[in-house]
Amino acid sequence: MEENSIRFEDIPNAITRVLKKLSSLEDKIDGIYELVQSEKEETWFTVAELCAYLPTHPVEHTIYCWTSNREIPFHKRGKRIMFLKSEIDEWLQGTKGKSKNEIQREAEEYVLSTQRKNRRLI
């Protein structure tokens, strides 16, 4: 910063500039605080809002099918179906496809567990 020497006569103007800058900083801090607070609050979606939020933008009928098959997390309030954004985000993160190795490993584990069960029954 550059060093300015302030004369006695300039003090009122300097204080006014400092107060304006402080006010500006306060506004920016308040904006950041509101942004952080809004991220902490839980957001609820209706079926239509969820359709718009999901990357594939499915039709409402698809959402209702997912809820009836319990494929997607939802909450029922009276007759309304509501979706919590944080749960939907987790659901989206958890729906990755399995690799061939993962499928092969699960199949082998299943076959081994079935063979063990059959040996116990004999």
Side-chain angles (χ1 to χ4, degrees):
M1 287 181 60
E2 62 185 59
E3 187 175 323
N4 292 332
S5 58
I6 299 175
R7 296 179 309 178
F8 183 77
E9 300 84 33
D10 298 333
I11 289 177
N13 289 335
I15 290 175
T16 303
R17 282 195 309 262
V18 168
L19 290 175
K20 284 182 182 178
K21 287 186 179 188
L22 282 175
S23 177
S24 173
L25 283 172
E26 185 179 30
D27 291 343
K28 289 179 182 179
I29 289 171
D30 287 344
I32 292 170
Y33 179 76
E34 288 174 10
L35 181 65
V36 168
Q37 287 301 104
S38 68
E39 288 177 0
K40 287 182 181 179
E41 293 176 9
E42 293 291 350
T43 304
W44 289 92
F45 292 135
T46 63
V47 174
E49 291 168 336
L50 181 65
C51 291
Y53 178 73
L54 291 175
T56 57
H57 303 293
V59 295
E60 289 185 13
H61 177 73
T62 303
I63 302 294
Y64 285 116
C65 288
W66 289 345
T67 57
S68 68
N69 292 333
R70 306 241 183 247
E71 295 177 23
I72 189 169
F74 68 96
H75 299 265
K76 193 164 184 180
R77 294 186 175 176
K79 293 184 178 184
R80 297 184 73 201
I81 297 175
M82 302 294 291
F83 303 88
L84 196 55
K85 181 182 182 293
S86 60
E87 292 177 352
I88 296 300
D89 290 340
E90 285 179 32
W91 175 74
L92 286 171
Q93 293 290 327
T95 54
K96 75 172 188 82
K98 295 180 182 177
S99 68
K100 287 183 181 180
N101 290 338
E102 290 173 324
I103 295 170
Q104 180 70 31
R105 191 175 335 111
E106 286 180 10
E108 290 170 357
E109 288 173 5
Y110 175 76
V111 169
L112 288 174
S113 69
T114 340
Q115 288 175 348
R116 288 185 203 128
K117 287 178 187 175
N118 289 339
R119 287 183 190 152
R120 290 182 198 149
L121 293 176
I122 298 177

